[in-house]
Protein backbone atom coordinates (compact mmCIF):
# COMPACT_ATOMS: atom_id res chain seq x y z
CA UNK A 1 0.00 0.00 0.00
CA UNK A 2 2.79 2.41 1.03
CA UNK A 3 4.46 1.58 -2.24
CA UNK A 4 1.21 2.17 -4.07
CA UNK A 5 0.94 5.64 -2.62
CA UNK A 6 4.53 6.40 -3.51
CA UNK A 7 3.85 5.37 -7.06
CA UNK A 8 0.71 7.47 -7.09
CA UNK A 9 2.53 10.47 -5.68
CA UNK A 10 5.26 10.07 -8.24
CA UNK A 11 2.63 9.74 -10.97
CA UNK A 12 0.87 12.91 -9.88
CA UNK A 13 4.19 14.71 -9.70
CA UNK A 14 5.18 13.59 -13.18
CA UNK A 15 1.71 14.43 -14.49
CA UNK A 16 2.03 17.87 -12.89
CA UNK A 17 5.30 18.50 -14.67
CA UNK A 18 3.70 17.27 -17.88
CA UNK A 19 0.90 19.78 -17.49
CA UNK A 20 3.40 22.58 -16.88
CA UNK A 21 5.42 21.58 -19.93
CA UNK A 22 2.25 21.46 -21.99
CA UNK A 23 1.17 24.86 -20.72
CA UNK A 24 4.59 26.24 -21.56
CA UNK A 25 4.57 24.72 -25.04
CA UNK A 26 1.08 25.95 -25.71
CA UNK A 27 1.89 29.45 -24.56
CA UNK A 28 5.14 29.84 -26.47
CA UNK A 29 4.78 31.55 -29.83
CA UNK A 30 3.76 29.04 -32.44
CA UNK A 31 6.15 29.99 -35.26
CA UNK A 32 9.13 29.14 -33.08
CA UNK A 33 8.16 25.55 -32.58
CA UNK A 34 7.04 24.46 -36.01
CA UNK A 35 8.04 25.04 -39.57
CA UNK A 36 6.41 28.11 -41.09
CA UNK A 37 3.31 27.34 -43.13
CA UNK A 38 3.97 27.49 -46.81
CA UNK A 39 1.60 29.26 -49.22
CA UNK A 40 -0.36 30.17 -46.15
CA UNK A 41 -2.22 32.87 -48.01
CA UNK A 42 -3.89 30.23 -50.16
CA UNK A 43 -5.02 28.11 -47.27
CA UNK A 44 -8.59 28.65 -46.38
CA UNK A 45 -8.18 27.03 -42.98
CA UNK A 46 -6.59 28.54 -39.90
CA UNK A 47 -2.92 28.88 -40.66
CA UNK A 48 -1.41 28.83 -37.20
CA UNK A 49 -1.98 25.12 -37.01
CA UNK A 50 -0.02 22.58 -39.02
CA UNK A 51 -1.75 20.88 -41.91
CA UNK A 52 -1.94 17.11 -41.67
CA UNK A 53 -2.81 15.07 -44.72
CA UNK A 54 -4.34 11.68 -44.13
CA UNK A 55 -3.01 9.75 -47.11
CA UNK A 56 -5.24 6.67 -46.63
CA UNK A 57 -8.38 6.20 -44.63
CA UNK A 58 -7.50 3.15 -42.48
CA UNK A 59 -9.81 0.30 -43.45
CA UNK A 60 -11.86 2.95 -45.21
CA UNK A 61 -13.40 3.96 -41.89
CA UNK A 62 -14.18 7.61 -42.46
CA UNK A 63 -15.15 10.03 -39.77
CA UNK A 64 -15.73 13.75 -39.65
CA UNK A 65 -12.45 15.53 -38.84
CA UNK A 66 -14.43 17.84 -36.57
CA UNK A 67 -14.85 14.83 -34.29
CA UNK A 68 -11.30 15.31 -33.02
CA UNK A 69 -12.60 18.43 -31.38
CA UNK A 70 -16.03 17.21 -30.35
CA UNK A 71 -14.98 13.80 -29.08
CA UNK A 72 -11.48 14.40 -27.74
CA UNK A 73 -11.12 18.19 -27.45
CA UNK A 74 -8.22 18.00 -29.90
CA UNK A 75 -7.97 20.95 -32.23
CA UNK A 76 -4.25 21.32 -32.76
CA UNK A 77 -3.87 20.73 -36.46
CA UNK A 78 -5.89 21.05 -39.63
CA UNK A 79 -6.77 17.64 -40.97
CA UNK A 80 -7.46 16.92 -44.59
CA UNK A 81 -7.75 13.92 -46.89
CA UNK A 82 -7.37 16.05 -50.00
CA UNK A 83 -4.25 14.77 -51.72
CA UNK A 84 -3.99 17.87 -53.86
CA UNK A 85 -2.80 19.66 -50.71
CA UNK A 86 0.21 17.35 -50.52
CA UNK A 87 2.85 19.95 -51.26
CA UNK A 88 1.60 22.18 -48.44
CA UNK A 89 1.08 19.52 -45.84
CA UNK A 90 3.37 19.74 -42.84
CA UNK A 91 2.57 16.16 -42.01
CA UNK A 92 1.47 13.17 -44.03
CA UNK A 93 -0.06 10.35 -42.08
CA UNK A 94 0.35 6.96 -43.75
CA UNK A 95 -1.48 3.85 -42.60
CA UNK A 96 0.90 0.93 -42.87
CA UNK A 97 -1.56 -1.81 -43.78
CA UNK A 98 -2.67 0.15 -46.85
CA UNK A 99 0.80 0.52 -48.36
CA UNK A 100 1.36 -1.56 -51.46
CA UNK A 101 4.44 -3.79 -51.53
CA UNK A 102 6.00 -1.82 -54.36
CA UNK A 103 5.16 1.50 -52.61
CA UNK A 104 3.33 2.55 -55.76
CA UNK A 105 0.44 4.07 -53.80
CA UNK A 106 2.61 6.42 -51.75
CA UNK A 107 3.13 10.07 -52.73
CA UNK A 108 5.40 10.30 -55.74
CA UNK A 109 6.04 14.03 -56.02
CA UNK A 110 9.16 15.31 -54.24
CA UNK A 111 8.80 15.73 -50.54
CA UNK A 112 8.91 19.34 -49.34
CA UNK A 113 11.71 19.96 -46.82
CA UNK A 114 9.39 20.89 -43.98
CA UNK A 115 7.18 17.85 -44.40
CA UNK A 116 7.14 14.99 -41.93
CA UNK A 117 5.78 11.57 -42.68
CA UNK A 118 4.08 9.70 -39.89
CA UNK A 119 3.97 5.93 -39.98
CA UNK A 120 0.75 4.64 -38.45
CA UNK A 121 0.65 0.99 -37.57
CA UNK A 122 -2.27 -0.42 -35.66
CA UNK A 123 -1.17 -4.04 -35.83
CA UNK A 124 1.12 -5.89 -33.49
CA UNK A 125 4.53 -7.05 -34.64
CA UNK A 126 3.15 -10.54 -35.14
CA UNK A 127 0.62 -9.42 -37.73
CA UNK A 128 2.20 -6.45 -39.43
CA UNK A 129 3.24 -7.28 -42.95
CA UNK A 130 6.87 -6.55 -43.80
CA UNK A 131 7.30 -4.13 -46.64
CA UNK A 132 10.80 -3.84 -48.03
CA UNK A 133 11.54 -0.29 -48.98
CA UNK A 134 9.75 1.49 -46.16
CA UNK A 135 13.10 1.99 -44.43
CA UNK A 136 13.98 5.63 -43.92
CA UNK A 137 10.77 6.98 -45.36
CA UNK A 138 9.27 8.15 -42.12
CA UNK A 139 9.95 10.75 -39.49
CA UNK A 140 7.56 9.76 -36.71
CA UNK A 141 5.95 6.53 -35.57
CA UNK A 142 2.37 6.21 -34.35
CA UNK A 143 1.40 2.96 -32.65
CA UNK A 144 0.32 1.43 -29.35
CA UNK A 145 3.95 0.92 -28.35
CA UNK A 146 5.52 2.96 -25.61
CA UNK A 147 8.61 3.58 -27.70
CA UNK A 148 6.62 5.18 -30.52
CA UNK A 149 6.94 8.89 -31.04
CA UNK A 150 3.17 9.10 -30.68
CA UNK A 151 1.38 6.54 -28.54
CA UNK A 152 -2.13 5.37 -29.27
CA UNK A 153 -3.63 4.73 -25.91
CA UNK A 154 -6.61 5.39 -23.69
CA UNK A 155 -4.93 7.24 -20.92
CA UNK A 156 -6.31 8.06 -17.54
CA UNK A 157 -6.79 11.74 -16.98
CA UNK A 158 -6.11 13.45 -13.74
CA UNK A 159 -9.07 14.77 -11.81
CA UNK A 160 -9.27 18.43 -11.05
CA UNK A 161 -11.33 17.76 -8.02
CA UNK A 162 -9.93 14.89 -6.02
CA UNK A 163 -12.70 14.79 -3.43
CA UNK A 164 -15.56 13.85 -5.75
CA UNK A 165 -17.12 10.69 -4.47
CA UNK A 166 -17.43 7.67 -6.65
CA UNK A 167 -20.84 6.01 -6.67
CA UNK A 168 -20.59 2.37 -7.63
CA UNK A 169 -23.00 1.60 -10.48
CA UNK A 170 -25.77 -0.86 -9.69
CA UNK A 171 -24.44 -4.37 -10.12
CA UNK A 172 -26.62 -7.16 -11.48
CA UNK A 173 -23.99 -9.60 -12.60
CA UNK A 174 -20.76 -10.97 -11.26
CA UNK A 175 -18.56 -11.49 -14.28
CA UNK A 176 -19.09 -10.50 -17.92
CA UNK A 177 -17.48 -10.53 -21.31
CA UNK A 178 -18.42 -8.85 -24.57
CA UNK A 179 -17.09 -10.98 -27.38
CA UNK A 180 -17.93 -12.30 -30.79
CA UNK A 181 -20.01 -15.49 -30.40
CA UNK A 182 -18.48 -17.12 -33.41
CA UNK A 183 -14.92 -16.40 -32.26
CA UNK A 184 -15.85 -17.82 -28.91
CA UNK A 185 -17.05 -21.04 -30.49
CA UNK A 186 -14.27 -21.49 -33.01
CA UNK A 187 -11.11 -19.65 -32.07
CA UNK A 188 -8.26 -21.14 -30.12
CA UNK A 189 -6.27 -18.13 -28.88
CA UNK A 190 -5.11 -17.89 -25.29
CA UNK A 191 -8.03 -15.76 -24.21
CA UNK A 192 -10.54 -18.32 -25.45
CA UNK A 193 -8.83 -21.26 -23.81
CA UNK A 194 -8.60 -19.37 -20.53
CA UNK A 195 -12.28 -18.51 -20.77
CA UNK A 196 -13.22 -22.17 -21.38
CA UNK A 197 -11.28 -23.18 -18.30
CA UNK A 198 -12.73 -20.36 -16.22
CA UNK A 199 -16.38 -21.19 -16.91
CA UNK A 200 -15.89 -24.60 -15.33
CA UNK A 201 -15.63 -22.76 -12.02
CA UNK A 202 -17.62 -19.54 -12.31
CA UNK A 203 -20.48 -18.16 -14.36
CA UNK A 204 -19.63 -15.66 -17.08
CA UNK A 205 -22.37 -13.59 -18.73
CA UNK A 206 -21.43 -13.30 -22.37
CA UNK A 207 -22.71 -10.55 -24.68
CA UNK A 208 -22.44 -10.50 -28.44
CA UNK A 209 -20.07 -7.69 -29.40
CA UNK A 210 -22.00 -6.58 -32.49
CA UNK A 211 -25.15 -5.91 -30.45
CA UNK A 212 -23.51 -4.01 -27.62
CA UNK A 213 -22.46 -0.59 -28.89
CA UNK A 214 -22.42 2.99 -27.68
CA UNK A 215 -24.14 3.62 -24.37
CA UNK A 216 -25.26 0.01 -24.20
CA UNK A 217 -21.64 -1.09 -24.19
CA UNK A 218 -20.80 0.98 -21.13
CA UNK A 219 -24.12 0.24 -19.40
CA UNK A 220 -23.65 -3.48 -19.91
CA UNK A 221 -20.14 -3.46 -18.50
CA UNK A 222 -21.14 -1.27 -15.58
CA UNK A 223 -23.81 -3.78 -14.54
CA UNK A 224 -21.07 -6.35 -13.85
CA UNK A 225 -18.71 -6.46 -10.91
CA UNK A 226 -15.89 -7.84 -13.00
CA UNK A 227 -15.15 -7.82 -16.71
CA UNK A 228 -12.85 -10.02 -18.78
CA UNK A 229 -10.41 -7.59 -20.37
CA UNK A 230 -8.77 -10.28 -22.45
CA UNK A 231 -6.56 -8.95 -25.24
CA UNK A 232 -6.77 -10.76 -28.56
CA UNK A 233 -3.03 -10.70 -28.95
CA UNK A 234 -0.40 -10.74 -26.22
CA UNK A 235 2.26 -8.14 -26.83
CA UNK A 236 4.19 -5.67 -24.76
CA UNK A 237 2.28 -2.37 -24.41
CA UNK A 238 -0.70 -3.84 -26.27
CA UNK A 239 -3.42 -2.77 -23.86
CA UNK A 240 -6.53 -1.66 -25.69
CA UNK A 241 -10.03 -0.37 -25.09
CA UNK A 242 -10.97 -3.75 -23.72
CA UNK A 243 -9.16 -2.53 -20.62
CA UNK A 244 -10.40 1.04 -20.85
CA UNK A 245 -14.05 -0.05 -21.10
CA UNK A 246 -14.42 -1.39 -17.54
CA UNK A 247 -12.26 1.39 -16.09
CA UNK A 248 -14.58 3.93 -17.68
CA UNK A 249 -17.67 1.99 -16.55
CA UNK A 250 -16.95 1.48 -12.85
CA UNK A 251 -16.10 -2.21 -13.15
CA UNK A 252 -12.99 -4.16 -12.21
CA UNK A 253 -11.07 -5.47 -15.25
CA UNK A 254 -9.68 -8.99 -15.12
CA UNK A 255 -6.78 -8.69 -17.52
CA UNK A 256 -5.10 -11.19 -19.80
CA UNK A 257 -2.36 -9.64 -21.89
CA UNK A 258 1.20 -8.51 -21.21
CA UNK A 259 2.60 -8.98 -17.68
CA UNK A 260 1.17 -7.06 -14.72
CA UNK A 261 4.22 -4.80 -14.63
CA UNK A 262 3.41 -3.59 -18.14
CA UNK A 263 -0.17 -2.72 -17.14
CA UNK A 264 1.24 -0.79 -14.20
CA UNK A 265 3.07 1.43 -16.67
CA UNK A 266 -0.33 2.77 -17.66
CA UNK A 267 -2.71 2.17 -14.76
CA UNK A 268 -2.77 2.06 -11.01
CA UNK A 269 -1.74 -1.44 -9.82
CA UNK A 270 -4.83 -1.95 -7.67
CA UNK A 271 -7.30 -0.97 -10.38
CA UNK A 272 -7.32 -4.41 -11.99
CA UNK A 273 -6.83 -8.12 -11.39
CA UNK A 274 -4.33 -9.98 -13.57
CA UNK A 275 -4.95 -13.63 -14.46
CA UNK A 276 -1.26 -14.26 -13.73
CA UNK A 277 -1.83 -13.21 -10.12
CA UNK A 278 -3.26 -16.73 -9.76
CA UNK A 279 -1.82 -20.17 -10.42
CA UNK A 280 -4.88 -21.19 -12.46
CA UNK A 281 -8.43 -20.32 -13.48
CA UNK A 282 -9.88 -22.14 -10.47
CA UNK A 283 -7.90 -19.97 -8.04
CA UNK A 284 -9.03 -16.83 -9.89
CA UNK A 285 -12.67 -17.97 -9.76
CA UNK A 286 -12.43 -18.63 -6.02
CA UNK A 287 -10.87 -15.23 -5.46
CA UNK A 288 -13.66 -13.48 -7.37
CA UNK A 289 -16.32 -15.36 -5.40
CA UNK A 290 -14.63 -14.29 -2.18
CA UNK A 291 -14.45 -10.66 -3.31
CA UNK A 292 -18.12 -10.82 -4.24
CA UNK A 293 -18.90 -11.27 -0.55
CA UNK A 294 -16.42 -8.74 0.75
CA UNK A 295 -17.57 -5.30 -0.29
CA UNK A 296 -14.84 -3.46 1.53
CA UNK A 297 -12.11 -5.37 -0.29
CA UNK A 298 -13.96 -4.97 -3.59
CA UNK A 299 -14.30 -1.20 -3.24
CA UNK A 300 -10.53 -0.87 -2.84
CA UNK A 301 -10.24 -1.52 -6.58
CA UNK A 302 -11.80 1.89 -7.14
CA UNK A 303 -9.46 3.95 -4.97
CA UNK A 304 -7.64 5.25 -8.03
CA UNK A 305 -10.82 7.09 -8.96
CA UNK A 306 -10.17 9.65 -6.31
CA UNK A 307 -7.43 11.02 -8.52
CA UNK A 308 -8.07 9.86 -12.07
CA UNK A 309 -10.86 9.35 -14.56
CA UNK A 310 -11.06 7.05 -17.54
CA UNK A 311 -12.84 8.51 -20.53
CA UNK A 312 -15.29 6.55 -22.62
CA UNK A 313 -13.92 5.54 -25.99
CA UNK A 314 -16.14 5.59 -29.08
CA UNK A 315 -17.42 2.10 -29.84
CA UNK A 316 -18.73 2.51 -33.36
CA UNK A 317 -16.77 1.14 -36.31
CA UNK A 318 -16.41 4.42 -38.12
CA UNK A 319 -14.46 5.87 -35.22
CA UNK A 320 -12.17 2.88 -34.91
CA UNK A 321 -9.09 4.90 -35.85
CA UNK A 322 -10.30 8.37 -34.92
CA UNK A 323 -8.52 8.51 -31.60
CA UNK A 324 -5.17 7.51 -33.12
CA UNK A 325 -5.49 10.06 -35.92
CA UNK A 326 -6.52 12.80 -33.51
CA UNK A 327 -3.63 11.90 -31.18
CA UNK A 328 -1.26 12.46 -34.11
CA UNK A 329 -2.92 15.81 -34.70
CA UNK A 330 -2.39 16.77 -31.07
CA UNK A 331 1.24 15.75 -31.24
CA UNK A 332 2.17 17.66 -34.37
CA UNK A 333 0.35 20.71 -33.10
CA UNK A 334 2.46 20.76 -29.96
CA UNK A 335 5.85 19.25 -30.67
CA UNK A 336 8.36 19.91 -33.32
CA UNK A 337 10.42 16.77 -32.88
CA UNK A 338 11.14 14.59 -35.85
CA UNK A 339 13.80 12.21 -36.97
CA UNK A 340 14.48 9.72 -39.66
CA UNK A 341 13.02 6.43 -38.52
CA UNK A 342 15.77 4.10 -39.70
CA UNK A 343 14.53 0.55 -40.15
CA UNK A 344 10.90 -0.05 -39.41
CA UNK A 345 11.13 -3.74 -40.06
CA UNK A 346 13.75 -4.03 -37.33
CA UNK A 347 11.71 -1.78 -35.03
CA UNK A 348 8.85 -4.18 -35.44
CA UNK A 349 10.89 -7.14 -34.27
CA UNK A 350 11.99 -5.54 -31.01
C1 LIG B 1 -4.04 -8.11 -36.38
O1 LIG B 1 -4.76 -8.93 -35.53
C2 LIG B 1 -5.86 -8.30 -34.92
C3 LIG B 1 -6.42 -9.23 -33.90
O2 LIG B 1 -6.65 -10.49 -34.40
C4 LIG B 1 -6.87 -7.86 -35.96
O3 LIG B 1 -7.93 -7.19 -35.33
C5 LIG B 1 -6.18 -6.94 -36.92
O4 LIG B 1 -7.06 -6.58 -37.94
C6 LIG B 1 -4.92 -7.57 -37.49
N1 LIG B 1 -4.22 -6.55 -38.24
C7 LIG B 1 -3.60 -6.80 -39.38
C8 LIG B 1 -2.90 -5.65 -40.00
O5 LIG B 1 -3.59 -7.90 -39.90
C1 LIG C 1 -6.44 -1.37 -33.82
O1 LIG C 1 -7.17 -0.26 -33.35
C2 LIG C 1 -8.45 -0.52 -32.90
C3 LIG C 1 -9.06 0.77 -32.43
O2 LIG C 1 -8.28 1.40 -31.47
C4 LIG C 1 -8.50 -1.63 -31.87
O3 LIG C 1 -9.82 -2.00 -31.65
C5 LIG C 1 -7.72 -2.84 -32.34
O4 LIG C 1 -7.71 -3.81 -31.35
C6 LIG C 1 -6.34 -2.39 -32.71
N1 LIG C 1 -5.40 -3.47 -32.93
C7 LIG C 1 -5.31 -4.25 -33.99
C8 LIG C 1 -4.22 -5.27 -33.90
O5 LIG C 1 -6.02 -4.18 -34.95
C1 LIG D 1 12.11 12.80 -42.78
O1 LIG D 1 12.62 11.60 -43.29
C2 LIG D 1 13.09 11.70 -44.61
C3 LIG D 1 13.36 10.31 -45.10
O2 LIG D 1 14.31 9.67 -44.33
C4 LIG D 1 14.32 12.57 -44.60
O3 LIG D 1 14.86 12.65 -45.91
C5 LIG D 1 13.90 13.96 -44.13
O4 LIG D 1 15.02 14.77 -44.02
C6 LIG D 1 13.20 13.84 -42.80
N1 LIG D 1 12.55 15.11 -42.58
C7 LIG D 1 12.78 15.83 -41.54
C8 LIG D 1 12.01 17.10 -41.46
O5 LIG D 1 13.56 15.48 -40.66
Amino acid sequence: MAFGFKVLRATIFVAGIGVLVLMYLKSSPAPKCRPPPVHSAQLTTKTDRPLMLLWFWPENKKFDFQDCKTLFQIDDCTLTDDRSLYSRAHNVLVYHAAIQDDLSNLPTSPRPKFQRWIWFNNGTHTNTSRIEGIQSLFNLTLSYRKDSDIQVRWQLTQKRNSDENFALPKKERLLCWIVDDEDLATKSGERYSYYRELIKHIKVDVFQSSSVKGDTYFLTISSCKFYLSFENSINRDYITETFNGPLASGTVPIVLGPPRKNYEDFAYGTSFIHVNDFPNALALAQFLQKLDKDNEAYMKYFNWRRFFTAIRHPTDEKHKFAHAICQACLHVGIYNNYRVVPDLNKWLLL
Side-chain angles (χ1 to χ4, degrees):
M1 207 56 212
F3 173 71
F5 275 118
K6 250 186 226 163
V7 170
L8 183 67
R9 263 208 322 258
T11 314
I12 292 174
F13 179 63
V14 170
I17 290 183
V19 168
L20 286 176
V21 169
L22 270 163
M23 279 164 61
Y24 169 75
L25 287 168
K26 283 228 162 183
S27 63
S28 61
K32 228 162 79 188
C33 54
R34 66 176 73 102
V38 179
H39 309 303
S40 51
Q42 294 163 32
L43 277 177
T44 51
T45 42
K46 264 198 184 168
T47 51
D48 57 335
R49 298 177 302 177
L51 179 66
M52 185 155 93
L53 168 61
L54 185 63
W55 192 254
F56 304 113
W57 278 103
E59 295 177 7
N60 206 29
K61 297 200 159 59
K62 298 189 183 175
F63 64 94
D64 184 342
F65 288 134
Q66 286 302 319
D67 293 344
C68 284
K69 195 173 171 185
T70 50
L71 295 176
F72 313 117
Q73 291 78 50
I74 293 175
D75 192 20
D76 301 76
C77 80
T78 300
L79 272 159
T80 182
D81 63 353
D82 180 356
R83 289 184 176 186
S84 74
L85 295 177
Y86 171 77
S87 63
R88 308 178 203 171
H90 301 105
N91 301 278
V92 179
L93 183 62
V94 182
Y95 180 58
H96 176 82
I99 304 175
Q100 246 147 41
D101 275 345
D102 59 0
L103 313 183
S104 59
N105 59 354
L106 289 183
T108 47
S109 28
R111 187 189 309 199
K113 274 213 157 45
F114 56 83
Q115 192 176 77
R116 293 174 278 179
W117 284 22
I118 304 170
W119 180 72
F120 174 29
N121 175 33
N122 182 56
T124 65
H125 71 88
T126 39
N127 75 354
T128 299
S129 57
R130 275 182 75 99
I131 302 176
E132 300 308 323
I134 59 163
Q135 282 93 307
S136 307
L137 270 186
F138 292 94
N139 307 96
L140 290 168
T141 53
L142 168 65
S143 88
Y144 66 90
R145 279 174 45 158
K146 214 164 57 178
D147 58 357
S148 310
D149 298 296
I150 313 166
Q151 275 187 65
V152 182
R153 193 173 304 289
W154 296 98
Q155 259 152 343
L156 300 181
T157 50
Q158 226 186 319
K159 268 193 179 165
R160 276 200 211 128
N161 226 336
S162 64
D163 44 35
E164 287 167 46
N165 276 329
F166 164 63
L168 187 73
K170 196 166 168 285
K171 302 293 179 186
E172 294 158 36
R173 306 172 177 93
L174 183 59
L175 177 58
C176 307
W177 197 16
I178 299 174
V179 68
D180 189 277
D181 274 347
E182 203 176 303
D183 287 353
L184 198 56
T186 57
K187 288 213 173 154
S188 59
E190 190 164 342
R191 61 179 190 161
Y192 303 107
S193 48
Y194 197 98
Y195 164 81
R196 283 176 205 126
E197 192 51 39
L198 189 62
I199 53 171
K200 293 181 188 160
H201 313 291
I202 194 168
K203 179 170 180 251
V204 180
D205 285 298
V206 171
F207 297 87
Q208 171 65 22
S209 48
S210 59
S211 61
V212 184
K213 295 275 174 198
D215 282 349
T216 316
Y217 168 88
F218 293 100
L219 274 173
T220 305
I221 297 181
S222 74
S223 71
C224 317
K225 282 190 145 177
F226 304 97
Y227 181 79
L228 298 183
S229 294
F230 286 9
E231 295 296 346
N232 59 13
S233 167
I234 296 177
N235 290 94
R236 176 164 51 94
D237 302 337
Y238 191 65
I239 298 168
T240 66
E241 60 282 329
T242 192
F243 180 59
N244 187 65
L247 292 183
S249 309
T251 294
V252 179
I254 315 287
V255 306
L256 182 152
R260 165 173 274 281
K261 227 175 147 322
N262 199 196
Y263 278 88
E264 291 181 1
D265 291 335
F266 310 108
Y268 199 30
T270 53
S271 62
F272 62 91
I273 293 168
H274 198 297
V275 296
N276 294 351
D277 296 342
F278 304 90
N280 50 43
L282 169 63
L284 169 63
Q286 287 170 339
F287 180 74
L288 297 181
Q289 276 146 353
K290 208 177 90 203
L291 263 187
D292 185 31
K293 298 188 192 85
D294 183 347
N295 199 48
E296 200 182 320
Y298 176 69
M299 290 307 292
K300 286 198 174 132
Y301 286 92
F302 300 100
N303 279 348
W304 63 274
R305 289 182 159 267
R306 296 211 306 262
F307 309 99
F308 295 99
T309 0
I311 60 158
R312 292 179 168 204
H313 55 266
T315 57
D316 56 322
E317 276 299 302
K318 102 176 164 172
H319 286 110
K320 186 170 171 196
F321 300 99
H323 189 239
I325 293 166
C326 301
Q327 289 283 108
C329 180
L330 174 68
H331 183 95
V332 302
I334 295 179
Y335 303 102
N336 193 27
N337 70 321
Y338 47 79
R339 56 182 175 136
V340 176
V341 181
D343 186 346
L344 280 176
N345 289 328
K346 224 183 263 160
W347 186 86
L348 278 170
L349 295 175
L350 290 172

